[in-house]
Amino acid sequence: MAKGFYISKNMGLAGLLMGAVAVVIIIALAAVYDKEKTKNQNKPVDGVAMLTTASPTTSSTLSTPKDPWEHYRLPDSLSPVSYNITLWPRLVVNASTGLYIFTGQSAVVFQCKKDTDLIVIHCNKLNLTLLNGHHARLTGLDGATAPTVKTSWLQVKTEYLVIQLNGKLTAGKSYRLSTDFQGELADDLKGFYRSEYTEDGGKKVVATSQMQATFARKAFPCFDEPAMKAVFHITLIHQRGTVALSNGRDVDGTEVTMTRFEPTKRMSTYLLAFIVSDFDHITGSIENNNVRIWARRKAIAEGHGNYALNVTGPMLNFFERYYNASYPLSKSDQIALPDFNAGAMENWGLITYRETALLYDPAISSVGNKERVLTVVAHELAHMWFGNLVTLRWWNDLWLNEGFASYVEYLGADYAEPTWNIKEQTILNDVHKVFAVDALASSHPLSRKEEEVNQPDEISEMFNTISYSKVLYVLEHLLQQGSLCSRTSPTSYLNEFAFNNTVYSDLWDHLQKAVLTTPGMSLPHTVHDIMNRWILQMGFPVVTIDTATGHITQKHFLLDPDSVVDRPSPYNYTWLVPIKWMKGGVEREQHWLLQETGISNATGSEWVLANLNVSGYYRVNYDMDNWERLLNQLTTDHTVIPLINRAQIVDDAFNLIIYYQVPSVLILYITRYLSQERDYIPWESALRNLNYYILMFDRGQAYGVLQGYLKMQITPLFEYFRTITVDWTRVPTGHNDQYNQINAISFACRMGVERCRVLTSDWFREWMLNPDHNPIHPNLKTTVYCNAIAAGGVAEWDFAWQMFKNATVATEAAKLRSSLACTKVPWLLNRYLDYSLDPAKIRKQDCTSTINYIAGNVVGMPLAWDFIRARWNYIYTEYGGGSFSFSNLINGVTRRFSTEFELKQLKQFKEDNARVGFGSGTLALEQAIERTTANIKWVAENQEPVMKWLANECT
Ligand SMILES: *[C@@H]1O[C@H](CO)[C@@H](O)[C@H](O)[C@H]1NC(C)=O
Ligand SMILES: *[C@@H]1O[C@H](CO)[C@@H](O)[C@H](O)[C@H]1NC(C)=O
Ligand SMILES: *[C@@H]1O[C@H](CO)[C@@H](O)[C@H](O)[C@H]1NC(C)=O
Ligand SMILES: *[C@@H]1O[C@H](CO)[C@@H](O)[C@H](O)[C@H]1NC(C)=O
Ligand SMILES: [Zn+2]
């Protein structure tokens, strides 16, 4: 899947939530930046909505169960070959049951690998029709005789249909197992489900699907593991006038009530898709005539699918060249769904998206919305080969799928929009985000043992930030070494394993071959040695360079160095670190660091800067003299230091300073140079980090001086944009300048720049007076809405709510929805909290992020906390099960916690609801406690010195 998920979107909330994520310990929350950009905040786009927390819980079952049906993994005695599936979703409610339902028939042909008298096949929440008194009918093929069924039952906990036979199935023979069933087409966003929307004044229903990771079994009985690949013959029955779509091309035309599809390639169940809707589509030009974009009729008619269509053709061509393998299927459909849990899902040949990740309306969407479409589409298309053609053997190696797709995503996006410098943003969207979670003692290695990941909950926990982003970076620094052509290696890997499954060492084998056969390419160690250190142990190093002695060392970086790492590492937490560096502005020879070593020419009076362009996944610390030299360089002429490194220096300083003996006010020295900085990337890095200071201080006495100081730093940037936009009448041309303009306005307003308040309130008022004509540029909507609502009262709020209800474009609705959380009026916030649990007002998929928006507001935070505590039982039951959003909810609401009292409340909450449970939020709750403890310590240590420094600076 793609990255991204609820929180995502434009957190806007200019003032309040502002650049969220941020620093330190604390912000394992990741994701969540603000602004219009909506962009990659949400990394995980794909299938499963993503978790932002670090480590998955271990555990699984405690004692080894005896019977095969008590194991969460299938026995290896049977292997599917092909399925015939017919599904008939009813898009009107069933009068007798009051439910939306689907009926279906499925036949699976499987081969017996080992003699057995037992059939175990996944099946969840399906009512099976009894055939001759049993749940399924078994037939022998090619002369094999099928034993009769002794007994059959549904094993609910492990989600199996179990069939015991009176005799044995014989190894080498094939059999067919047939079932008839009925299931509910629920609005739970899992398996075969329904999505609803309103068009032309009437309610419309779409039947659609989300199989990853373990929901195919909720659509039909199947061997639901990624390595159980098979060919699928799919038929959908549907009303005349509706369109049926699936992975393959339809073979019977569309004007029939039964649509049959060509057999799929050999593929995994989690990549299947079935959709019946009355959507419309657009088709690419002649050379791309198998590329289609589907959406609500109105969205298509208004051209909202055009941008995705424009970029898909070129990107597919790019990927064909990059992988040196043609697109494996006969067509490529992409469809935007009104209700969808993740950002997008790479179903083979029929990719599903949230509307905000596929549809783009130039008149309404911001630059961030557009970039999000670009990067999500690139990510999903990259999966058509990496992930779909060649698939992980089991979910423990999810990072292999996701990390590589996240890496290639940037190549594809950069190809389609070469002027955007998309690559520069990886530092913000990937590196800093992963650093934040991977620096916790509770983080986890990228790669987990296969036997540690079994149950659906454990699988869904694999979809976390680290999976998506860490390997991307680590791989990149490897692939960029010398001239290792990143093109040859995946090609031979893809060729060898097409339509098959792999484990990560298969990829290393192929990369190593490429290293050996690339002329002029040499590495000091094997690919396995280098890569395994990054994936088999959690975390990453901080490299310390002492410019007095030239000594260079590495150490496992922990946000809280006092925290206890109880996870042993086969490599003792040392890495093979590529050190690219410069001295006095000149690049020097690269080193590989493992043991402590000396670089003699790193001494002297000129500044030294390591991790050039942040090509490696590590932090850098220096002796104090070198820090000062760097600071001097920044304040005298910051442009001498490469752009990406300016962002990195800021981020390293903020994070190191906290505990690594660097005075806590050094960071504040660093922020001094910001008044001269005009580039987006360093500013964004600073804002995210400063956000932690703001979160920690915005309820206390230090806030007044902090705000005063930051107002001084941001004002020049605000004025700079006022000038270059000719008094806000234009939009800057550069892609990143557009983002920076948004930052300038949202931060200036937040820090109380009066001109900013007037600007945003006036724009909003103008819109209120003439609702049919919105004068606010799409880029600036989130921040303008938010600040005007924050400065306004019930009139502004009600107007925005009305506009939200009328919004027909998902991105516009998302901006309003986040901005509604910006009001400072408590009763409006409480009313909004109530709305968030009313599906008629706020879609279920948006419930968590809405509550989190409110919690991001300093006034809303305690209200949201009371709210979820009072309703935990209800929320958990209503929105629970395998839903992934609990961790985000807990993270979001507790982000500011920094007092003993809050810690006590948190522990009480854990105790009070132990019986109800926390589902996928279990780990997040533990982390919230860890984070709160760290925050308390941080505030105790830093409030004083920070206030003193600020008081000094501001006088
Ligand atoms: C699938 O259905 C087709 C057409 O109905 C039939 O010819 C074929 O034998 C079936 N295959 C299996 C595995 O049931
Ligand atoms: C499945 O059977 C149960 C028990 O009879 C019933 O409550 C449920 O509504 C059925 N589901 C569907 C989709 O028919
Ligand atoms: C799509 O491409 C066409 C042809 O190049 C162009 O006119 C149109 O503006 C593009 N649409 C979008 C939304 O980028
Ligand atoms: C899949 O890969 C495995 C391991 O390399 C190999 O033994 C098997 O034959 C392959 N299967 C197919 C269908 O290519
Ligand atoms: Zn993905």
Side-chain angles (χ1 to χ4, degrees):
M1 344 184 245
K3 341 171 171 189
F5 53 125
Y6 4 79
I7 293 197
S8 70
K9 323 202 145 191
N10 29 5
M11 286 278 283
L13 307 210
L16 317 162
L17 281 188
M18 178 50 232
V21 182
V23 209
V24 210
I25 314 189
I26 339 299
I27 306 305
L29 207 202
V32 193
Y33 327 154
D34 86 327
K35 36 215 102 117
E36 307 274 346
K37 338 196 307 192
T38 286
K39 35 195 290 185
N40 309 336
Q41 288 94 304
N42 327 314
K43 272 303 242 341
V45 183
D46 303 302
V48 179
M50 146 204 211
L51 273 182
T52 40
T53 50
S55 68
T57 45
T58 12
S59 87
S60 286
T61 29
L62 294 174
S63 55
T64 311
K66 292 185 300 288
D67 293 312
W69 53 83
E70 290 176 51
H71 287 270
Y72 282 93
R73 294 294 301 274
L74 290 167
D76 57 4
S77 44
L78 307 177
S79 169
V81 177
S82 69
Y83 292 79
N84 263 10
I85 309 157
T86 302
L87 292 174
W88 185 3
R90 312 301 207 284
L91 303 188
V92 290
V93 76
N94 180 295
S96 65
T97 59
L99 298 176
Y100 287 86
I101 62 150
F102 64 94
T103 52
Q105 281 147 15
S106 173
V108 53
V109 172
F110 61 84
Q111 202 182 36
C112 179
K113 298 285 184 194
K114 291 181 185 163
D115 288 5
T116 177
D117 58 2
L118 186 71
I119 298 173
V120 178
I121 184 170
H122 285 109
C123 180
N124 185 24
K125 299 199 170 138
L126 296 173
N127 289 351
L128 295 169
T129 310
L130 294 185
L131 307 165
N132 295 332
H134 295 295
H135 291 91
R137 187 169 39 227
L138 184 68
T139 324
L141 298 178
D142 304 326
T145 332
T148 53
V149 175
K150 182 158 134 202
T151 173
S152 64
W153 72 93
L154 293 163
Q155 187 76 20
V156 173
K157 179 150 177 268
T158 42
E159 304 179 346
Y160 288 133
L161 163 62
V162 185
I163 300 165
Q164 276 183 324
L165 305 169
N166 284 316
K168 292 220 167 193
L169 300 169
T170 315
K173 301 279 188 205
S174 295
Y175 303 86
R176 178 167 51 223
L177 185 76
S178 312
T179 48
D180 280 7
F181 50 89
Q182 175 163 325
E184 185 185 350
L185 204 59
D187 61 354
D188 59 358
L189 313 174
K190 291 176 219 146
F192 205 19
Y193 72 92
R194 78 176 190 281
S195 170
E196 297 177 356
Y197 63 100
T198 314
E199 198 167 76
D200 304 330
K203 180 168 103 171
K204 300 226 169 155
V205 176
V206 181
T208 182
S209 65
Q210 167 61 37
M211 306 310 191
Q212 196 182 32
T214 56
F215 306 126
R217 62 191 71 168
K218 196 169 155 278
F220 64 101
C222 55
F223 297 96
D224 198 9
E225 293 191 357
M228 294 279 185
K229 289 193 172 183
V231 171
F232 297 84
H233 303 257
I234 297 160
T235 303
L236 292 174
I237 300 178
H238 56 105
Q239 265 185 337
R240 226 170 266 280
T242 59
V243 193
L245 297 171
S246 187
N247 303 78
R249 200 156 44 178
D250 61 86
V251 288
D252 288 346
T254 49
E255 290 307 310
V256 290
T257 52
M258 184 195 287
T259 301
R260 269 195 319 130
F261 299 89
E262 64 183 349
T264 67
K265 304 283 187 200
R266 192 165 178 272
M267 64 181 284
S268 307
T269 48
Y270 82 87
L271 293 168
L272 290 168
F274 316 123
I275 300 179
V276 174
S277 71
D278 84 335
F279 282 7
D280 200 356
H281 73 280
I282 44 176
T283 306
S285 56
I286 318 223
E287 65 271 30
N288 288 312
N289 65 352
N290 290 330
V291 171
R292 297 183 295 186
I293 306 289
W294 296 84
R296 289 176 288 106
R297 288 176 173 277
K298 192 155 183 290
I300 290 295
E302 290 173 358
H304 301 172
N306 296 358
Y307 182 65
L309 186 67
N310 278 5
V311 295
T312 297
M315 276 199 281
L316 282 176
N317 298 339
F318 170 80
F319 286 134
E320 288 190 324
R321 283 199 307 279
Y322 172 76
Y323 289 124
N324 193 17
S326 49
Y327 179 70
L329 306 180
S330 60
K331 60 102 174 169
S332 162
D333 281 325
Q334 297 177 86
I335 186 166
L337 295 160
D339 297 283
F340 192 72
N341 205 29
M345 175 64 213
E346 72 267 22
N347 310 301
W348 219 7
L350 176 51
I351 308 173
T352 45
Y353 293 84
R354 268 192 183 209
E355 292 195 340
T356 48
L358 188 68
L359 303 182
Y360 169 73
D361 175 357
I364 289 193
S365 311
S366 67
V367 57
N369 298 142
K370 191 170 184 180
E371 187 182 308
R372 175 139 173 90
V373 171
L374 176 74
T375 54
V376 179
V377 168
H379 180 97
E380 302 309 325
L381 293 178
H383 272 313
M384 298 299 110
W385 290 262
F386 211 99
N388 297 9
L389 180 61
V390 176
T391 309
L392 40 73
R393 187 169 78 192
W394 182 244
W395 300 108
N396 63 312
D397 276 341
L398 181 70
W399 61 274
L400 187 58
N401 261 15
E402 294 308 337
F404 201 83
S406 300
Y407 169 64
V408 178
E409 160 191 333
Y410 283 106
L411 305 181
D414 191 49
Y415 177 79
E417 294 286 3
T419 64
W420 288 9
N421 296 325
I422 292 266
K423 285 267 354 185
E424 281 179 4
Q425 299 186 25
T426 54
I427 182 170
L428 300 170
N429 299 330
D430 295 299
V431 184
H432 289 175
K433 210 169 76 184
V434 191
F435 272 0
V437 275
D438 205 12
L440 299 176
S442 60
S443 185
H444 66 97
L446 260 183
S447 186
R448 307 192 67 208
K449 294 211 174 69
E450 187 166 339
E451 60 275 15
E452 285 176 2
V453 180
N454 291 299
Q455 307 177 22
D457 267 0
E458 292 166 348
I459 295 169
S460 59
E461 279 189 335
M462 294 307 293
F463 289 83
N464 61 52
T465 314
I466 295 180
S467 295
Y468 277 83
S469 301
K470 179 173 179 177
V471 70
L472 173 158
Y473 232 67
V474 173
L475 260 179
E476 182 174 18
H477 86 218
L478 188 73
L479 296 179
Q480 282 182 346
Q481 291 305 313
S483 57
L484 174 52
C485 177
S486 46
R487 196 169 291 185
T488 53
S489 26
T491 303
S492 65
Y493 168 85
L494 290 174
N495 281 340
E496 177 169 349
F497 297 106
F499 306 108
N500 207 341
N501 300 75
T502 57
V503 294
Y504 67 83
S505 53
D506 295 327
L507 181 61
W508 299 171
D509 289 343
H510 282 259
L511 288 173
Q512 181 64 28
K513 264 185 233 155
V515 169
L516 295 177
T517 55
T518 306
M521 168 84 201
S522 80
L523 288 174
H525 303 270
T526 64
V527 170
H528 296 72
D529 283 351
I530 296 172
M531 293 304 290
N532 286 354
R533 285 174 183 266
W534 294 99
I535 62 159
L536 298 181
Q537 55 185 355
M538 67 177 185
F540 56 90
V542 49
V543 167
T544 302
I545 300 180
D546 184 340
T547 61
T549 61
H551 267 129
I552 159 164
T553 52
Q554 64 165 298
K555 184 169 175 240
H556 182 190
F557 177 76
L558 290 165
L559 273 171
D560 179 355
D562 297 338
S563 54
V564 180
V565 176
D566 51 14
R567 191 190 285 276
S569 154
Y571 302 102
N572 257 323
Y573 294 106
T574 55
W575 290 265
L576 280 159
V577 190
I579 311 283
K580 288 180 99 176
W581 63 291
M582 66 168 30
K583 187 164 102 174
V586 181
E587 184 167 357
R588 309 294 166 117
E589 193 196 345
Q590 178 180 330
H591 286 258
W592 284 87
L593 172 67
L594 179 59
Q595 315 292 330
E596 169 165 356
T597 162
I599 305 183
S600 56
N601 58 349
T603 56
S605 60
E606 288 173 297
W607 53 264
V608 164
L609 176 71
N611 203 2
L612 265 196
N613 292 316
V614 195
S615 52
Y617 183 71
Y618 59 95
R619 291 196 182 283
V620 189
N621 196 3
Y622 306 95
D623 56 297
M624 210 50 211
D625 287 344
N626 194 61
W627 272 117
E628 271 169 26
R629 288 194 285 267
L630 284 169
L631 289 191
N632 276 340
Q633 185 60 60
L634 282 174
T635 32
T636 48
D637 181 5
H638 61 275
T639 58
V640 175
I641 296 185
L643 175 71
I644 305 287
N645 283 103
R646 302 206 294 273
Q648 189 56 26
I649 288 173
V650 169
D651 196 65
D652 279 348
F654 264 93
N655 284 278
L656 290 166
I657 273 146
I658 317 257
Y659 291 112
Y660 286 77
Q661 290 111 38
V662 191
S664 72
V665 292
L666 174 69
I667 18 136
L668 293 167
Y669 280 106
I670 286 184
T671 60
R672 258 184 186 165
Y673 108 92
L674 287 173
S675 57
Q676 296 155 42
E677 180 62 82
R678 300 289 176 264
D679 265 302
Y680 165 67
I681 309 253
W683 257 111
E684 175 68 15
S685 173
L687 291 179
R688 289 186 195 177
N689 281 296
L690 283 167
N691 193 58
Y692 178 67
Y693 279 60
I694 295 171
L695 281 181
M696 290 302 104
F697 290 147
D698 69 1
R699 296 176 295 163
Q701 50 165 336
Y703 194 58
V705 281
L706 180 63
Q707 198 184 28
Y709 169 72
L710 293 175
K711 184 172 163 181
M712 254 162 43
Q713 304 310 104
I714 190 70
T715 302
L717 191 70
F718 180 79
E719 289 301 323
Y720 167 78
F721 278 106
R722 191 174 67 83
T723 310
I724 69 165
T725 60
V726 195
D727 232 349
W728 312 111
T729 55
R730 306 195 181 146
V731 165
T733 42
H735 186 68
N736 281 348
D737 283 344
Q738 295 188 33
Y739 286 140
N740 211 20
Q741 181 196 20
I742 300 164
N743 272 350
I745 295 181
S746 81
F747 199 65
C749 277
R750 190 182 185 192
M751 290 304 111
V753 174
E754 178 60 15
R755 283 178 110 148
C756 185
R757 193 192 56 76
V758 173
L759 176 73
T760 53
S761 294
D762 284 357
W763 260 332
F764 195 78
R765 188 134 292 270
E766 217 181 298
W767 185 31
M768 285 175 72
L769 292 174
N770 188 357
D772 295 330
H773 179 75
N774 186 339
I776 306 160
H777 188 276
N779 282 355
L780 303 178
K781 281 179 175 174
T782 304
T783 192
V784 171
Y785 295 173
C786 176
N787 283 294
I789 289 170
V794 64
E796 282 77 10
W797 202 96
D798 284 347
F799 174 75
W801 177 252
Q802 201 54 45
M803 293 297 110
F804 169 72
K805 284 196 300 182
N806 296 347
T808 53
V809 176
T811 51
E812 179 69 9
K815 287 166 193 168
L816 287 158
R817 188 166 59 81
S818 70
S819 303
L820 285 164
C822 295
T823 177
K824 306 281 190 206
V825 183
W827 72 267
L828 287 175
L829 287 165
N830 273 326
R831 187 176 67 178
Y832 197 29
L833 282 166
D834 283 332
Y835 287 3
S836 73
L837 287 188
D838 177 353
K841 294 195 165 68
I842 301 286
R843 284 180 188 277
K844 271 192 170 181
Q845 64 176 13
D846 297 328
C847 158
T848 344
S849 60
T850 304
I851 297 174
N852 276 346
Y853 290 143
I854 296 170
N857 175 341
V858 63
V859 183
M861 192 277 284
L863 308 178
W865 174 227
D866 288 347
F867 182 80
I868 69 163
R869 276 188 297 172
R871 289 170 186 73
W872 185 257
N873 198 342
Y874 174 79
I875 296 176
Y876 189 75
T877 327
E878 196 64 16
Y879 293 74
S883 167
F884 306 92
S885 45
F886 290 114
S887 61
N888 287 329
L889 186 62
I890 289 171
N891 274 324
V893 173
T894 61
R895 234 156 28 112
R896 258 194 194 83
F897 282 13
S898 52
T899 64
E900 292 292 345
F901 183 61
E902 282 160 343
L903 183 62
K904 217 170 105 192
Q905 286 186 330
L906 204 50
K907 290 179 172 164
Q908 189 67 41
F909 173 63
K910 181 180 166 191
E911 212 177 292
D912 291 347
N913 293 287
R915 202 184 37 80
V916 179
F918 301 94
S920 57
T922 309
L923 179 73
L925 185 59
E926 287 310 318
Q927 288 180 335
I929 292 173
E930 184 183 340
R931 205 162 53 217
T932 306
T933 311
N935 287 351
I936 292 170
K937 188 165 140 194
W938 188 88
V939 170
E941 284 169 10
N942 291 283
Q943 178 144 339
E944 272 291 313
V946 167
M947 271 180 72
K948 258 199 205 129
W949 186 88
L950 287 170
N952 223 357
E953 196 74 358
C954 296
T955 49

